[in-house]
Amino acid sequence: MKDFNQLIQAYFGQLSNEDLEIVQSYFYEEKLQKNDFFTSSGKICDRLSIIKSGIFRIYAYSDGKEITQWISTENQLLTEIMGFFYQQPNRWTIQALTDTTIMTISKSNYLELCESFPKWNTIEKQFIVKCFAMLEDRVYSHLSMTAEERYDQYYRQNKELFNQVPLQYIASVLGMSAETISRIRKRKSENS
C-alpha cells in the first residue's frame, strides 16, 4: 500500500501536513476475512474505506444472475455511494475475496469531520468529481470499445487479478459473458 497520506491526497487533493493529521485521526484500521461482507444490498452503508491489502468484489443480483460491478484492490476507495452519501438502501453487496486490511472512516466520523474541518466540503467536492470522471471513463469504454478492446485495456491495468479472481467476475465487470471472455483468451493464445 502507498503511504496513507499519499492516498488521501490522491483521492481528496493536496493538503498540508496539519490537515492530513486531522483527516487521518478520523480513520481506523479494520481487518476483514475472506468472504466477510463490507456491506450488503438492502442495507445502508455506514463507512468509507481505503484498501491497504486484499481484494473486494462489488456485485448485485439482477434477473436471478450475479452482476459484478467492480473488483477493488489495494489503494482504492471502498464504499456503496448511495448508502454512504444519500442514506438509501445499497444496491450493491461488497464482499472480501481475500483476507483484507482497510483504513475506515465511519459515517458518524465523516459527518463530524465535515463539521469540524470546514475545508472538507471543498475536498469532498473534488472526490465526487473524481468518482464521476471514473464513471464516465467506464461508460465511454463500454460504448466505444469492442469486447476485445475492453479486455485488453482491463488486462493492461489489472494483470494480477487474472490469477486471483474467477474469470466470470472479470467478464461481468467488462460487460460480457464468461463464454465471450474465454473466446477472446483462446484467440489471443492462438495468435501469440
Side-chain angles (χ1 to χ4, degrees), residues 146-167:
T146 66
E148 191 162 339
E149 289 169 335
R150 287 194 313 272
Y151 173 90
D152 289 342
Q153 180 182 44
Y154 195 80
Y155 184 80
R156 280 191 308 275
Q157 295 170 345
N158 302 283
K159 212 175 276 193
E160 73 287 346
L161 286 181
F162 283 75
N163 294 323
Q164 298 174 320
V165 173
L167 221 54

PDB file of all heavy atoms in Angstrom, residues 146-167:
ATOM      1  N   THR A 146     -14.734  -2.338 -28.474  1.00  0.00           N
ATOM      2  CA  THR A 146     -15.208  -3.708 -28.668  1.00  0.00           C
ATOM      3  C   THR A 146     -14.933  -4.500 -27.387  1.00  0.00           C
ATOM      4  O   THR A 146     -14.158  -4.060 -26.519  1.00  0.00           O
ATOM      5  CB  THR A 146     -14.466  -4.392 -29.832  1.00  0.00           C
ATOM      6  OG1 THR A 146     -13.084  -4.531 -29.458  1.00  0.00           O
ATOM      7  CG2 THR A 146     -14.603  -3.607 -31.122  1.00  0.00           C
ATOM      8  N   ALA A 147     -15.509  -5.671 -27.284  1.00  0.00           N
ATOM      9  CA  ALA A 147     -15.271  -6.532 -26.120  1.00  0.00           C
ATOM     10  C   ALA A 147     -13.778  -6.828 -25.984  1.00  0.00           C
ATOM     11  O   ALA A 147     -13.225  -6.789 -24.875  1.00  0.00           O
ATOM     12  CB  ALA A 147     -16.074  -7.821 -26.255  1.00  0.00           C
ATOM     13  N   GLU A 148     -13.117  -7.099 -27.109  1.00  0.00           N
ATOM     14  CA  GLU A 148     -11.690  -7.418 -27.059  1.00  0.00           C
ATOM     15  C   GLU A 148     -10.861  -6.211 -26.607  1.00  0.00           C
ATOM     16  O   GLU A 148      -9.911  -6.349 -25.848  1.00  0.00           O
ATOM     17  CB  GLU A 148     -11.197  -7.927 -28.407  1.00  0.00           C
ATOM     18  CG  GLU A 148      -9.810  -8.512 -28.329  1.00  0.00           C
ATOM     19  CD  GLU A 148      -9.470  -9.412 -29.512  1.00  0.00           C
ATOM     20  OE1 GLU A 148     -10.393  -9.903 -30.188  1.00  0.00           O
ATOM     21  OE2 GLU A 148      -8.267  -9.617 -29.737  1.00  0.00           O
ATOM     22  N   GLU A 149     -11.227  -5.014 -27.058  1.00  0.00           N
ATOM     23  CA  GLU A 149     -10.512  -3.804 -26.631  1.00  0.00           C
ATOM     24  C   GLU A 149     -10.701  -3.558 -25.131  1.00  0.00           C
ATOM     25  O   GLU A 149      -9.749  -3.196 -24.433  1.00  0.00           O
ATOM     26  CB  GLU A 149     -10.997  -2.585 -27.422  1.00  0.00           C
ATOM     27  CG  GLU A 149     -10.559  -2.597 -28.871  1.00  0.00           C
ATOM     28  CD  GLU A 149     -11.256  -1.542 -29.715  1.00  0.00           C
ATOM     29  OE1 GLU A 149     -12.385  -1.114 -29.358  1.00  0.00           O
ATOM     30  OE2 GLU A 149     -10.675  -1.149 -30.741  1.00  0.00           O
ATOM     31  N   ARG A 150     -11.923  -3.783 -24.645  1.00  0.00           N
ATOM     32  CA  ARG A 150     -12.172  -3.632 -23.194  1.00  0.00           C
ATOM     33  C   ARG A 150     -11.348  -4.643 -22.408  1.00  0.00           C
ATOM     34  O   ARG A 150     -10.764  -4.330 -21.374  1.00  0.00           O
ATOM     35  CB  ARG A 150     -13.664  -3.798 -22.868  1.00  0.00           C
ATOM     36  CG  ARG A 150     -14.505  -2.635 -23.292  1.00  0.00           C
ATOM     37  CD  ARG A 150     -15.896  -2.639 -22.681  1.00  0.00           C
ATOM     38  NE  ARG A 150     -16.614  -3.893 -22.744  1.00  0.00           N
ATOM     39  CZ  ARG A 150     -17.389  -4.279 -23.761  1.00  0.00           C
ATOM     40  NH1 ARG A 150     -17.535  -3.515 -24.822  1.00  0.00           N
ATOM     41  NH2 ARG A 150     -18.030  -5.414 -23.722  1.00  0.00           N
ATOM     42  N   TYR A 151     -11.295  -5.888 -22.906  1.00  0.00           N
ATOM     43  CA  TYR A 151     -10.498  -6.927 -22.272  1.00  0.00           C
ATOM     44  C   TYR A 151      -9.033  -6.509 -22.221  1.00  0.00           C
ATOM     45  O   TYR A 151      -8.388  -6.597 -21.174  1.00  0.00           O
ATOM     46  CB  TYR A 151     -10.656  -8.256 -23.025  1.00  0.00           C
ATOM     47  CG  TYR A 151      -9.731  -9.338 -22.539  1.00  0.00           C
ATOM     48  CD1 TYR A 151     -10.122 -10.200 -21.521  1.00  0.00           C
ATOM     49  CD2 TYR A 151      -8.451  -9.488 -23.079  1.00  0.00           C
ATOM     50  CE1 TYR A 151      -9.271 -11.191 -21.055  1.00  0.00           C
ATOM     51  CE2 TYR A 151      -7.599 -10.469 -22.628  1.00  0.00           C
ATOM     52  CZ  TYR A 151      -8.009 -11.324 -21.615  1.00  0.00           C
ATOM     53  OH  TYR A 151      -7.156 -12.291 -21.146  1.00  0.00           O
ATOM     54  N   ASP A 152      -8.490  -6.077 -23.359  1.00  0.00           N
ATOM     55  CA  ASP A 152      -7.077  -5.681 -23.428  1.00  0.00           C
ATOM     56  C   ASP A 152      -6.768  -4.550 -22.442  1.00  0.00           C
ATOM     57  O   ASP A 152      -5.764  -4.593 -21.729  1.00  0.00           O
ATOM     58  CB  ASP A 152      -6.699  -5.241 -24.844  1.00  0.00           C
ATOM     59  CG  ASP A 152      -6.645  -6.403 -25.833  1.00  0.00           C
ATOM     60  OD1 ASP A 152      -6.552  -7.574 -25.387  1.00  0.00           O
ATOM     61  OD2 ASP A 152      -6.701  -6.132 -27.046  1.00  0.00           O
ATOM     62  N   GLN A 153      -7.626  -3.550 -22.424  1.00  0.00           N
ATOM     63  CA  GLN A 153      -7.406  -2.411 -21.521  1.00  0.00           C
ATOM     64  C   GLN A 153      -7.443  -2.860 -20.063  1.00  0.00           C
ATOM     65  O   GLN A 153      -6.573  -2.502 -19.273  1.00  0.00           O
ATOM     66  CB  GLN A 153      -8.455  -1.332 -21.766  1.00  0.00           C
ATOM     67  CG  GLN A 153      -8.282  -0.120 -20.865  1.00  0.00           C
ATOM     68  CD  GLN A 153      -9.360   0.916 -21.106  1.00  0.00           C
ATOM     69  OE1 GLN A 153     -10.541   0.589 -21.228  1.00  0.00           O
ATOM     70  NE2 GLN A 153      -8.950   2.174 -21.175  1.00  0.00           N
ATOM     71  N   TYR A 154      -8.435  -3.657 -19.699  1.00  0.00           N
ATOM     72  CA  TYR A 154      -8.563  -4.132 -18.316  1.00  0.00           C
ATOM     73  C   TYR A 154      -7.364  -5.009 -17.938  1.00  0.00           C
ATOM     74  O   TYR A 154      -6.836  -4.902 -16.834  1.00  0.00           O
ATOM     75  CB  TYR A 154      -9.881  -4.892 -18.123  1.00  0.00           C
ATOM     76  CG  TYR A 154     -10.247  -5.096 -16.677  1.00  0.00           C
ATOM     77  CD1 TYR A 154     -10.833  -4.080 -15.937  1.00  0.00           C
ATOM     78  CD2 TYR A 154     -10.001  -6.311 -16.043  1.00  0.00           C
ATOM     79  CE1 TYR A 154     -11.167  -4.262 -14.612  1.00  0.00           C
ATOM     80  CE2 TYR A 154     -10.331  -6.497 -14.719  1.00  0.00           C
ATOM     81  CZ  TYR A 154     -10.919  -5.471 -14.002  1.00  0.00           C
ATOM     82  OH  TYR A 154     -11.241  -5.659 -12.680  1.00  0.00           O
ATOM     83  N   TYR A 155      -6.938  -5.845 -18.883  1.00  0.00           N
ATOM     84  CA  TYR A 155      -5.784  -6.716 -18.627  1.00  0.00           C
ATOM     85  C   TYR A 155      -4.528  -5.885 -18.373  1.00  0.00           C
ATOM     86  O   TYR A 155      -3.763  -6.151 -17.439  1.00  0.00           O
ATOM     87  CB  TYR A 155      -5.565  -7.686 -19.795  1.00  0.00           C
ATOM     88  CG  TYR A 155      -4.449  -8.664 -19.535  1.00  0.00           C
ATOM     89  CD1 TYR A 155      -4.663  -9.793 -18.752  1.00  0.00           C
ATOM     90  CD2 TYR A 155      -3.180  -8.449 -20.055  1.00  0.00           C
ATOM     91  CE1 TYR A 155      -3.634 -10.690 -18.496  1.00  0.00           C
ATOM     92  CE2 TYR A 155      -2.145  -9.342 -19.807  1.00  0.00           C
ATOM     93  CZ  TYR A 155      -2.385 -10.458 -19.019  1.00  0.00           C
ATOM     94  OH  TYR A 155      -1.360 -11.336 -18.757  1.00  0.00           O
ATOM     95  N   ARG A 156      -4.308  -4.867 -19.205  1.00  0.00           N
ATOM     96  CA  ARG A 156      -3.132  -3.998 -19.009  1.00  0.00           C
ATOM     97  C   ARG A 156      -3.173  -3.314 -17.638  1.00  0.00           C
ATOM     98  O   ARG A 156      -2.156  -3.177 -16.977  1.00  0.00           O
ATOM     99  CB  ARG A 156      -3.071  -2.913 -20.098  1.00  0.00           C
ATOM    100  CG  ARG A 156      -2.506  -3.376 -21.407  1.00  0.00           C
ATOM    101  CD  ARG A 156      -2.214  -2.210 -22.347  1.00  0.00           C
ATOM    102  NE  ARG A 156      -3.320  -1.293 -22.546  1.00  0.00           N
ATOM    103  CZ  ARG A 156      -4.298  -1.444 -23.433  1.00  0.00           C
ATOM    104  NH1 ARG A 156      -4.307  -2.501 -24.224  1.00  0.00           N
ATOM    105  NH2 ARG A 156      -5.251  -0.555 -23.553  1.00  0.00           N
ATOM    106  N   GLN A 157      -4.340  -2.905 -17.197  1.00  0.00           N
ATOM    107  CA  GLN A 157      -4.468  -2.164 -15.942  1.00  0.00           C
ATOM    108  C   GLN A 157      -4.542  -3.063 -14.709  1.00  0.00           C
ATOM    109  O   GLN A 157      -4.267  -2.614 -13.604  1.00  0.00           O
ATOM    110  CB  GLN A 157      -5.718  -1.266 -15.985  1.00  0.00           C
ATOM    111  CG  GLN A 157      -5.633  -0.186 -17.031  1.00  0.00           C
ATOM    112  CD  GLN A 157      -6.959   0.541 -17.232  1.00  0.00           C
ATOM    113  OE1 GLN A 157      -8.020   0.094 -16.800  1.00  0.00           O
ATOM    114  NE2 GLN A 157      -6.897   1.665 -17.925  1.00  0.00           N
ATOM    115  N   ASN A 158      -4.933  -4.334 -14.891  1.00  0.00           N
ATOM    116  CA  ASN A 158      -5.199  -5.219 -13.747  1.00  0.00           C
ATOM    117  C   ASN A 158      -4.676  -6.629 -13.960  1.00  0.00           C
ATOM    118  O   ASN A 158      -5.318  -7.600 -13.572  1.00  0.00           O
ATOM    119  CB  ASN A 158      -6.715  -5.286 -13.486  1.00  0.00           C
ATOM    120  CG  ASN A 158      -7.324  -3.951 -13.230  1.00  0.00           C
ATOM    121  OD1 ASN A 158      -7.193  -3.391 -12.144  1.00  0.00           O
ATOM    122  ND2 ASN A 158      -7.994  -3.397 -14.229  1.00  0.00           N
ATOM    123  N   LYS A 159      -3.509  -6.746 -14.553  1.00  0.00           N
ATOM    124  CA  LYS A 159      -2.932  -8.046 -14.920  1.00  0.00           C
ATOM    125  C   LYS A 159      -2.978  -9.058 -13.774  1.00  0.00           C
ATOM    126  O   LYS A 159      -3.316 -10.223 -13.957  1.00  0.00           O
ATOM    127  CB  LYS A 159      -1.483  -7.830 -15.358  1.00  0.00           C
ATOM    128  CG  LYS A 159      -0.989  -8.763 -16.406  1.00  0.00           C
ATOM    129  CD  LYS A 159       0.393  -8.399 -16.853  1.00  0.00           C
ATOM    130  CE  LYS A 159       0.298  -7.327 -17.921  1.00  0.00           C
ATOM    131  NZ  LYS A 159       1.527  -7.087 -18.638  1.00  0.00           N
ATOM    132  N   GLU A 160      -2.620  -8.606 -12.556  1.00  0.00           N
ATOM    133  CA  GLU A 160      -2.530  -9.515 -11.405  1.00  0.00           C
ATOM    134  C   GLU A 160      -3.865 -10.143 -11.034  1.00  0.00           C
ATOM    135  O   GLU A 160      -3.923 -11.246 -10.500  1.00  0.00           O
ATOM    136  CB  GLU A 160      -1.919  -8.790 -10.203  1.00  0.00           C
ATOM    137  CG  GLU A 160      -2.817  -7.780  -9.510  1.00  0.00           C
ATOM    138  CD  GLU A 160      -3.066  -6.462 -10.269  1.00  0.00           C
ATOM    139  OE1 GLU A 160      -2.348  -6.178 -11.241  1.00  0.00           O
ATOM    140  OE2 GLU A 160      -3.992  -5.737  -9.882  1.00  0.00           O
ATOM    141  N   LEU A 161      -4.979  -9.475 -11.340  1.00  0.00           N
ATOM    142  CA  LEU A 161      -6.295 -10.017 -10.983  1.00  0.00           C
ATOM    143  C   LEU A 161      -6.638 -11.286 -11.747  1.00  0.00           C
ATOM    144  O   LEU A 161      -7.391 -12.116 -11.266  1.00  0.00           O
ATOM    145  CB  LEU A 161      -7.390  -8.975 -11.231  1.00  0.00           C
ATOM    146  CG  LEU A 161      -7.473  -7.828 -10.248  1.00  0.00           C
ATOM    147  CD1 LEU A 161      -8.618  -6.902 -10.613  1.00  0.00           C
ATOM    148  CD2 LEU A 161      -7.626  -8.328  -8.821  1.00  0.00           C
ATOM    149  N   PHE A 162      -6.082 -11.450 -12.929  1.00  0.00           N
ATOM    150  CA  PHE A 162      -6.434 -12.582 -13.769  1.00  0.00           C
ATOM    151  C   PHE A 162      -5.980 -13.910 -13.161  1.00  0.00           C
ATOM    152  O   PHE A 162      -6.463 -14.966 -13.562  1.00  0.00           O
ATOM    153  CB  PHE A 162      -5.880 -12.395 -15.188  1.00  0.00           C
ATOM    154  CG  PHE A 162      -6.694 -11.420 -15.992  1.00  0.00           C
ATOM    155  CD1 PHE A 162      -6.608 -10.060 -15.753  1.00  0.00           C
ATOM    156  CD2 PHE A 162      -7.574 -11.869 -16.954  1.00  0.00           C
ATOM    157  CE1 PHE A 162      -7.374  -9.164 -16.478  1.00  0.00           C
ATOM    158  CE2 PHE A 162      -8.344 -10.978 -17.691  1.00  0.00           C
ATOM    159  CZ  PHE A 162      -8.233  -9.618 -17.445  1.00  0.00           C
ATOM    160  N   ASN A 163      -5.084 -13.872 -12.182  1.00  0.00           N
ATOM    161  CA  ASN A 163      -4.671 -15.086 -11.469  1.00  0.00           C
ATOM    162  C   ASN A 163      -5.265 -15.168 -10.071  1.00  0.00           C
ATOM    163  O   ASN A 163      -5.019 -16.131  -9.361  1.00  0.00           O
ATOM    164  CB  ASN A 163      -3.140 -15.143 -11.367  1.00  0.00           C
ATOM    165  CG  ASN A 163      -2.492 -15.308 -12.715  1.00  0.00           C
ATOM    166  OD1 ASN A 163      -3.019 -16.007 -13.574  1.00  0.00           O
ATOM    167  ND2 ASN A 163      -1.362 -14.654 -12.915  1.00  0.00           N
ATOM    168  N   GLN A 164      -6.016 -14.155  -9.660  1.00  0.00           N
ATOM    169  CA  GLN A 164      -6.528 -14.113  -8.291  1.00  0.00           C
ATOM    170  C   GLN A 164      -8.051 -14.130  -8.187  1.00  0.00           C
ATOM    171  O   GLN A 164      -8.584 -14.373  -7.113  1.00  0.00           O
ATOM    172  CB  GLN A 164      -6.016 -12.843  -7.590  1.00  0.00           C
ATOM    173  CG  GLN A 164      -4.515 -12.783  -7.480  1.00  0.00           C
ATOM    174  CD  GLN A 164      -4.052 -11.455  -6.913  1.00  0.00           C
ATOM    175  OE1 GLN A 164      -4.566 -10.399  -7.238  1.00  0.00           O
ATOM    176  NE2 GLN A 164      -3.060 -11.521  -6.033  1.00  0.00           N
ATOM    177  N   VAL A 165      -8.725 -13.852  -9.285  1.00  0.00           N
ATOM    178  CA  VAL A 165     -10.174 -13.674  -9.258  1.00  0.00           C
ATOM    179  C   VAL A 165     -10.806 -14.578 -10.316  1.00  0.00           C
ATOM    180  O   VAL A 165     -10.276 -14.682 -11.428  1.00  0.00           O
ATOM    181  CB  VAL A 165     -10.511 -12.186  -9.566  1.00  0.00           C
ATOM    182  CG1 VAL A 165     -11.995 -11.969  -9.717  1.00  0.00           C
ATOM    183  CG2 VAL A 165      -9.943 -11.282  -8.479  1.00  0.00           C
ATOM    184  N   PRO A 166     -11.934 -15.230 -10.001  1.00  0.00           N
ATOM    185  CA  PRO A 166     -12.597 -16.050 -11.022  1.00  0.00           C
ATOM    186  C   PRO A 166     -12.906 -15.231 -12.284  1.00  0.00           C
ATOM    187  O   PRO A 166     -13.332 -14.084 -12.206  1.00  0.00           O
ATOM    188  CB  PRO A 166     -13.887 -16.501 -10.332  1.00  0.00           C
ATOM    189  CG  PRO A 166     -13.548 -16.493  -8.874  1.00  0.00           C
ATOM    190  CD  PRO A 166     -12.627 -15.309  -8.701  1.00  0.00           C
ATOM    191  N   LEU A 167     -12.673 -15.836 -13.425  1.00  0.00           N
ATOM    192  CA  LEU A 167     -12.828 -15.159 -14.706  1.00  0.00           C
ATOM    193  C   LEU A 167     -14.247 -14.633 -14.938  1.00  0.00           C
ATOM    194  O   LEU A 167     -14.431 -13.602 -15.580  1.00  0.00           O
ATOM    195  CB  LEU A 167     -12.433 -16.119 -15.840  1.00  0.00           C
ATOM    196  CG  LEU A 167     -11.622 -15.520 -16.957  1.00  0.00           C
ATOM    197  CD1 LEU A 167     -10.376 -14.821 -16.448  1.00  0.00           C
ATOM    198  CD2 LEU A 167     -11.278 -16.554 -17.987  1.00  0.00           C
TER     199      LEU A 167
END
